[in-house]
Amino acid sequence: MNVFISSTFTDLEEIRRNTLNFFYQFAMTPLAMEVWSSAIDDPVKKCLSRVRDSNLFIGIYGQRYGFTPDVYLAI
């Protein structure tokens, strides 16, 4: 099972690490930015592709808003 994990990173680093470890214990595959290889791909396209490839989406929400791509600011 592929699990997409979404959150801001710096403020929730420990929670993300614990979440990744939880899913590894059950032989699930976390699709999280810290386990991706670096690439030239557009980050938004890469994230959306990973979300489509996942069976479960986990959103972890804290005190920060995260990244908003310029293309969505005009909406």
Side-chain angles (χ1 to χ4, degrees):
M1 174 182 268
N2 293 328
V3 181
F4 188 91
I5 300 169
S6 175
S7 77
T8 51
F9 185 77
T10 20
D11 59 330
L12 299 172
E13 187 173 358
E14 183 178 351
I15 292 170
R16 288 181 68 86
R17 186 173 41 256
N18 292 338
T19 304
L20 287 170
N21 290 335
F22 173 83
F23 287 109
Y24 284 135
Q25 289 177 19
F26 296 100
M28 297 179 184
T29 305
L31 300 176
M33 65 183 175
E34 54 268 48
V35 296
W36 301 349
S37 61
S38 60
I40 301 172
D41 302 340
D42 177 317
V44 173
K45 288 181 183 177
K46 187 170 189 169
C47 282
L48 292 174
S49 172
R50 298 288 175 142
V51 169
R52 282 190 293 275
D53 292 342
S54 43
N55 306 100
L56 178 65
F57 177 94
I58 302 291
I60 305 170
Y61 303 99
Q63 299 297 316
R64 297 184 60 186
Y65 292 108
F67 172 73
T68 306
D70 292 338
V71 292
Y72 299 112
L73 293 177
I75 295 176

